[in-house]
Each structure stands twice: as structure tokens, then as C-alpha cells.
Amino acid sequence: MSSASKNIESVLVENRVFPPDARATEGARISGMAAYDALCKEAEDDFEGFWTRLAKGNLQWTKPFTRTLDESKAPFYEWFGDGELNASANCLDKHIGTPVENKTAIVFEADDGTVTNVTYKELLARVSQFANALKAAGIQKGDRVVIYMPMTVEGVIAMQACARIGATHSVVFGGFSAKALQERIIDAGAVAVITANYQLRGGKELPLKAIVDDGIALGGCESIKTVFVYERTPTAWNRVEGRDKTFTEALKGQGTECAPVPVNAEHPLFILYTSGSTGKPKGVQHATGGYLLWAKLTMDWTFDIKPEDVFWCTADIGWITGHTYVAYGPLAAGATQVVFEGIPTFPHAGRFWQMIEKHKVSVFYTAPTAIRSLIKAAEGDEKVHPKNWDLTSLRILGSVGEPINPEAWMWYHRNIGGERCPIVDTFWQTETGGHVITPLPGATPLVPGSCTLPLPGIMAAIVDETGKDLPNGAGGMLVIKRPWPSMIRTIWNDPERFKKSYFPEEMGGTIYLAGDGAVRSEDRGYFRITGRIDDVLNVSGHRLGTMEIESALVSKTDLVAEAAVVGRPDDVTGEAVCAFVVLKRARPTGEEAKQIANELRNWVAKEIGPIAKPKDIRFGDNLPKTRSGKIMRRLLRSIAKGEEITQDTSTLENPAILEQLSERL
Ligand code: 6R9
């Protein structure tokens, strides 16, 4: 082992342990490890009985289920398959007539700091009214509706209103391009788009409606009959007559009562597109019953949510975290939550800490990339250091989206959590619907950088390529051996890809393969996620397929001959996109190279979205390939990291290109 890799190892072996103190265990729903073990044992002894009990206790069913789990069509598992319920009724109506009805459901803080409160009763009325507007536009149960909205109360209302009438929503993150939007509209066969004229972020107005128009103009979107436009700003926008309706127009004359439509538990609540290892994004399909159960249950288990809590999940509704822990979970739990329109660095990098103080946030859930960028900001400027704000309202902190490095964990623990708040490092995926491996705040002794142990009923394991269990200490592939209620049901329009991606034949075809590498610690059996094992990158907690970016680059046919994309570690964003490009013209150098690199970045932003822009672009006369013509990605990863090349390069056609590709612009 080289001395460099020994140093890396020593950073990865984490010995600090933080057991929960009395403040965290007292009154916690799952208090102490014995309580956690008892739940795990219950799930092991009577798997179906365990889920039956929880599904009955946590959800309101309009028709009770009699079948808990149906494995006859595995891996197309069905949960509570003969039961009926409505997701919106389980988030809103169920609180009416209880003390929750007049409680604040959403504290909305706009980009400019303006605050608006919405109670549960008001939210129900607004969701119902918008649901009536959807119905008036002819939208029915089973129809797909694309939502392309900023972080606003209206965004949550749009999702809840779809759920209320049994329409399947597909939220597309507001940072995605017209092309990405068009592809999703076509794949989902959507009948309507719900959008806003503009979104406000960091004091800037960014168009949304114009991008919808551009996306539809790209063709193939004839299924779209209506575009609903929320006028977020007074700024003018371009109306397409006969198709576009403002929220005001759509809501006019609509009543504020709308009976929730009961749907089968397996009815698709939503489709959310995410990156996979091939070019085309996958439409991850979630079912109503199992998903909602998970949203509610994990609010209770992982966040130990209490009536007096103020919950704040900083994720955008365009990502799964914003689905489960903004649009559904907090409402199903009857919690008060903060919804934030803006960005953490505007008007200054102390915004998050200021908002925690202002709204007395008690449970705060964010991503490591945000923490790392705010550490950097706080270290560079005393004025935005969290010590300037009173953070004593906090009792639980959460992390999601990527592995949190122990240094960032310690900073979060000390400077935000005041050394008293447990940090729940929640591992999960778009496909898992909600947390699957995570500490419990009132039970689990914490180890920085580890997502610790699976939730009760989640049969997580680490295996080799054949599905054989590996001992603690050995790195392997993360799998979940038994189905769980909130798991992905299929890939929309592509059941074969669903089977191939997640239930490999070599492992028997019924075990869920997460796509992440992991290792369990020798002493406690704690899980530590080591990163994706496929061609998926994680940049600032956002999933990006390397193939997706490569296809975008080579689609610039007048310029690019060939491209390969890899990830390299980045202090703030976790991973950064590094693209190696061969042009159709001579390899550029100096100013010309910089200029073409910028052109390519803008192209990728246009094709996919700004989040996919390569940070590094390097030009070569060729790419390193094996004799059989395969691109040597491992070698490119080393080059991107700036590592010394130790691999065997003797099979390379033209070793001189390594030098070219090592050159940074
Ligand atoms: C919820 C979400 C999923 C991928 C996943 C893994 C990474 C998420 C993590 C984590 C280590 C954690 N990931 N949480 N890695 N520790 N606590 O992020 O969903 O966007 O689908 O990404 O993110 O690599 O496979 P999604």
C-alpha cells in the first residue's frame, strides 16, 4: 500500500462514537437500542404481521386491505393490494376535527424573506379548490401531470391536488432544461403541465413557463392539453391561447371542497425521473399505500416528530427528498414545516442559521454539500458563522443525498447541533421512497460518516456479485433482501429495465440491488456507503448519469467527435463532473480551448440542465482505449483526480494522449 492510500484509510476508519444522551432518548418513540431491536425482531418473526400492524395504525383506509404482501409476480411486489385510500386525505382531511386543523402546516419563507403561514384547514381548502380546477380541465384519475414549479406553497398544492383526484404527478426539477422536460412529458404521456411564470432564486427571476413552451415546441408533446401558470411575479410572460390558464383563471368559480378519490393501494401516486447508468433517465414509479406509509412512519421513526416540532427539510420538491419530506411526510405526520423558496447563500451565507432562529426550527434536514459550502463560507467570513444566531431550538439534525465526511459531520454536530443534537445520516434513494438505513435519534450510538443500521423490517446486507453475504469489514454491494412497502414498483414504460437494473438474475432475481457499494464495520456492523458502483455520479447530492452527459456532449455534432465523462472528488460538491473530449477539429489549446470548453458547458446546460455542466473539460487527440476499443474509464478517473498513473498502460494505442488529457485548462 502506498503511503497516500494508507492516509486515506486512516481517515476512513472512524472511532468516535456518540451515544444519544438523556435529552434524545427521553420520550423518544424508539427509545434505546432495546426498543429498536424489539421492532427488528417483530419484523423478522412475523414479517407480514409487522407491516399489517403499521399500515393499519398509520394510514386511514377507505377500504381496508386483507392482503399485506403479494410476491406472486416478484420482483413486481404488491403491498396492501386490495385496499383503497387517498394520499391527500391521509395528509389533510385526517387532521380536520383534531387539534391539528388550525395548526400551521406550512411556514413559507420567500426568496426575499417574506413569510406566509398556512394552516392545515386552509391548505385543505386550497388543495381541494385546485383539485376542482384540474377536474374542470378534464384531468382524471390515472392521468399524468407534469409539475415544473418553484419551491412554493403552490408547488405542494399542485402535488397534493393531483393525489386528491388520483392523477399521477411527475415533478421535474426547475433546473432541468427544455429538452429534459420534453423527454419526461413524452415518456410519461402527460396531459397537463403545472408551472409558474418565473421562479425567484437568490434575488434573480428565472423563467419557467418559457422553458415549458420551448420544451413543448421541441415536438411530440401533443398529449398536453393544458398548461397551468402560477404567476409568481408580476413579470409578463407569453401566453398560448386555448392552452394556457393562470391559477387565478383556473380557480375562479371553483369550490373549496373536493371529495378525495379513493384509489387502490398500488395506484401510481407519482413518477419521478432519475439518472441511471444508461443515457435515458428512468421513471421511478411509486405506489400510493406503501409510499405514504413510509413517509409517515419515517417522520415518526427517524425524525421522532412531535406535535410542537418545527420541521425543515431544505430539499426541492423536484427531488425525492422534497417529495417524501416536504410534500407528503410532514403533512401525514401533522407537523409544522418550513418551506423555503430561496438558496442558502442569499442574501448571505448565514441564511439557513438565521431562518432556524427566526422560525425556531427543531428538526433540520439538509445535504452534506450545503453543509460543506456553508462551512467554507463561515470560515471565510465571521459575519455568516452560525455562532451569530441562536440555534438552541434545534433538537435533531439530518443529512441526506451523499456520504457525509466525518469532518463535515463534526462541524455540523458542534456548530449547528451544539453537541447535543443527534445527527441522522439517512441513506436512501429515489427508488426506496424513504429512509432505509439510518440512525434513530433516541436509540442509535452515532459514528460520524456512517448511516449505521437498517430500519426495522429492512433486510439490508452486503454481498458479492453472486449474491453471497460478505462478512463485516469486507466491501461489497448493498442489497435489500426482502421487499418493503415504499419500494419502487417499476420503471414507467419499461418493466424489463426495472428487472435488469434492480433485480439481477445472478442474484436470483428477487433481491433489490441498490447500486451503491458499502462496508459494515467490524465492531458494530454499521453500514458505511462507499459510493455508486455504476456509472452514476453524485454532484451536490444530485444524481447524474455519466452516459447522459456523454450523450449530451456528442449530440453537439458540429464540434464533438467523442466524449467520456467521469467523476472526481470535490471538497464542496462531493463529486465533480470531468469530461474528456475529442473534437472533430484539431485539439485546441490556450484561449481557444477555454472558449470551446465554455461553449460545451452551455450546451450541456441546455441539453440537461446547469447541474450537469462539467467542471473540468480536457481535450485530447483521442481517448485512452483498450485494444478492443473500450474506453479506459478507470484511467480517466485517475487522470481527473490528478493521481499518478500506476495502471498498466501498455495496451494503449497512443500513450502520449495521457499527457494531453492531464493538462488542465
Ligand atoms: C435520497 C436521495 C440516491 C443516491 C444513493 C447514494 C447517495 C443518498 C446517502 C447517500 C451515502 C447517505 N446517498 N443518501 N450516500 N449516505 N446518507 O438522495 O436519492 O437522488 O435517488 O440519490 O445518493 O449513492 O444511491 P437519490
Side-chain angles (χ1 to χ4, degrees):
M1 203 188 270
S2 74
S3 71
S5 54
K6 239 184 237 147
N7 281 339
I8 291 166
E9 268 309 304
S10 69
V11 175
L12 293 179
V13 178
E14 178 59 61
N15 298 318
R16 288 169 287 199
V17 181
F18 299 82
D21 67 17
R23 281 171 297 201
T25 53
E26 219 167 277
R29 265 194 201 73
I30 303 179
S31 178
M33 284 309 269
Y36 164 77
D37 291 337
L39 281 168
C40 293
K41 184 163 185 315
E42 184 191 347
E44 265 156 43
D45 292 350
D46 179 10
F47 193 65
E48 290 201 28
F50 177 70
W51 296 118
T52 306
R53 173 175 78 77
L54 292 167
K56 284 190 173 156
N58 284 284
L59 296 179
Q60 291 186 350
W61 298 85
T62 45
K63 178 170 170 251
F65 61 90
T66 63
R67 258 192 349 255
T68 297
L69 171 63
D70 180 353
E71 301 188 69
S72 62
K73 296 185 281 292
F76 299 92
Y77 298 100
E78 285 185 12
W79 285 91
F80 322 118
D82 61 345
E84 288 183 5
L85 76 170
N86 179 280
S88 167
N90 269 282
C91 292
L92 300 170
D93 306 59
K94 92 165 179 204
H95 303 302
I96 302 306
T98 78
V100 177
E101 70 174 10
N102 291 316
K103 178 175 172 176
T104 300
I106 295 177
V107 178
F108 174 67
E109 179 158 328
D111 190 54
D112 69 0
T114 313
V115 176
T116 339
N117 288 346
V118 186
T119 68
Y120 271 90
K121 218 178 187 171
E122 288 161 354
L123 190 61
L124 171 62
R126 291 179 63 183
V127 167
S128 300
Q129 197 182 23
F130 195 67
N132 284 330
L134 294 177
K135 283 201 289 190
I139 298 165
Q140 295 173 352
K141 176 175 166 183
D143 284 342
R144 274 84 57 210
V145 175
V146 162
I147 297 177
Y148 190 62
M149 285 286 271
M151 276 301 281
T152 46
V153 177
E154 286 71 14
V156 176
I157 289 176
M159 294 166 80
Q160 283 282 337
C162 287
R164 197 160 185 88
I165 62 167
T168 300
H169 60 67
S170 183
V171 184
V172 177
F173 174 61
F176 275 119
S177 68
K179 173 104 183 300
L181 186 63
Q182 175 225 19
E183 285 167 1
R184 286 156 176 77
I185 290 173
I186 295 175
D187 192 72
V191 300
V193 179
I194 306 174
T195 189
N197 61 339
Y198 285 88
Q199 61 177 333
L200 288 167
R201 283 169 67 82
K204 287 196 207 99
E205 276 195 31
L206 307 165
L208 282 178
K209 166 62 169 61
I211 297 174
V212 173
D213 290 346
D214 290 350
I216 293 177
L218 289 171
C221 302
E222 290 73 28
S223 57
I224 298 292
K225 299 288 176 277
T226 317
V227 175
F228 296 92
V229 184
Y230 166 53
E231 293 182 287
R232 176 65 189 95
T233 68
T235 324
W237 50 281
N238 195 32
R239 176 193 286 265
V240 177
E241 286 303 334
R243 190 197 69 188
D244 298 351
K245 266 194 186 107
T246 66
F247 267 43
T248 317
E249 289 158 2
L251 292 169
K252 200 168 167 211
Q254 298 298 342
T256 52
E257 275 175 35
C258 171
V261 175
V263 299
N264 185 274
E266 282 297 310
H267 182 73
L269 178 62
F270 65 85
I271 305 164
L272 183 59
Y273 288 85
T274 188
S275 295
S277 30
T278 63
K280 201 173 167 254
K282 312 186 257 202
V284 173
Q285 180 180 322
H286 276 287
T288 305
Y291 172 81
L292 205 68
L293 170 62
W294 212 254
K296 164 71 168 61
L297 207 55
T298 48
M299 285 301 297
D300 287 348
W301 281 356
T302 313
F303 297 123
D304 193 31
I305 206 80
K306 303 265 171 60
E308 59 281 5
D309 273 320
V310 177
F311 179 76
W312 182 18
C313 164
T314 66
D316 191 282
I317 52 167
W319 309 112
I320 189 68
T321 308
H323 279 57
T324 313
Y325 301 107
V326 177
Y328 291 104
L331 300 177
T336 293
Q337 72 168 322
V338 174
V339 169
F340 176 44
E341 181 179 42
I343 57 171
T345 48
F346 176 82
H348 55 77
R351 181 81 183 258
F352 273 7
W353 323 132
Q354 186 180 34
M355 282 180 64
I356 290 172
E357 175 184 287
K358 178 161 151 195
H359 302 299
K360 302 205 164 36
V361 172
S362 56
V363 181
F364 179 65
Y365 191 33
T366 196
T369 184
I371 299 167
R372 287 192 300 262
S373 73
L374 297 177
I375 294 175
K376 227 177 169 178
E379 280 171 359
D381 180 2
E382 283 274 298
K383 290 199 294 301
V384 297
H385 195 280
K387 69 183 176 205
N388 295 298
W389 289 277
D390 176 6
L391 306 179
T392 51
S393 58
L394 288 169
R395 80 183 180 87
I396 293 170
L397 300 176
S399 170
V400 59
E402 53 182 312
I404 178 164
N405 46 310
E407 299 71 29
W409 195 102
M410 287 307 301
W411 188 90
Y412 198 29
H413 176 68
R414 280 200 193 110
N415 295 284
I416 310 304
E419 295 185 359
R420 71 182 183 281
C421 303
I423 297 177
V424 289
D425 176 0
T426 61
F427 169 82
W428 60 295
Q429 309 172 298
T430 305
E431 293 87 344
T432 67
H435 309 149
V436 284
I437 307 180
T438 176
L440 299 172
T444 320
L446 305 171
V447 171
S450 166
C451 53
T452 72
L453 296 169
L455 286 175
I458 297 292
M459 308 304 180
I462 295 174
V463 301
D464 67 11
E465 294 78 18
T466 62
K468 210 173 90 244
D469 277 313
L470 291 172
N472 289 354
M477 293 185 266
L478 177 66
V479 296
I480 303 178
K481 292 189 162 178
R482 296 280 286 136
W484 68 101
S486 66
M487 69 194 296
I488 174 175
R489 291 305 192 267
T490 187
I491 292 176
W492 182 262
N493 272 341
D494 206 345
E496 274 311 306
R497 189 172 175 198
F498 166 73
K499 282 204 272 188
K500 260 222 221 93
S501 314
Y502 304 113
F503 298 92
E505 281 302 323
E506 312 81 75
M507 294 186 187
T510 58
I511 289 178
Y512 175 79
L513 179 71
D516 280 292
V519 56
R520 301 184 71 157
S521 66
E522 306 263 11
D523 51 347
R524 296 169 183 267
Y526 276 11
F527 288 75
R528 188 168 54 76
I529 308 297
T530 51
R532 299 288 307 191
I533 50 172
D534 51 13
D535 293 315
V536 172
L537 304 183
N538 192 326
V539 179
S540 296
H542 302 320
R543 264 167 79 168
L544 295 168
T546 52
M547 307 283 183
E548 220 174 321
I549 306 172
E550 285 170 13
S551 328
L553 285 167
V554 295
S555 73
K556 183 133 185 60
T557 48
D558 57 331
L559 200 59
V560 177
E562 206 175 6
V565 168
V566 300
R568 67 155 171 79
D570 183 278
D571 284 350
V572 173
T573 57
E575 268 188 301
V577 179
C578 185
F580 296 91
V581 178
V582 182
L583 296 180
K584 285 186 171 166
R585 60 169 95 152
R587 174 174 179 263
T589 52
E591 274 312 305
E592 194 201 4
K594 277 189 194 152
Q595 190 201 324
I596 296 177
N598 268 337
E599 195 181 332
L600 292 177
R601 278 192 195 100
N602 293 336
W603 176 264
V604 171
K606 196 172 122 297
E607 287 291 294
I608 305 175
I611 49 169
K613 276 189 187 181
K615 188 161 184 182
D616 282 3
I617 296 188
R618 318 234 181 132
F619 297 102
D621 291 325
N622 204 340
L623 296 174
K625 289 183 190 150
T626 60
R627 290 255 158 81
S628 62
K630 276 212 181 78
I631 296 173
M632 298 173 78
R633 284 169 196 282
R634 206 192 295 236
L635 194 60
L636 290 178
R637 277 192 279 269
S638 300
I639 297 175
K641 270 193 222 167
E643 275 174 6
E644 215 180 298
I645 308 293
T646 51
Q647 288 111 315
D648 179 13
T649 53
S650 57
T651 56
L652 271 184
E653 299 266 318
N654 175 7
I657 56 168
L658 292 185
E659 215 162 290
Q660 293 182 348
L661 295 173
S662 304
E663 206 176 287
R664 299 187 72 150
L665 298 184

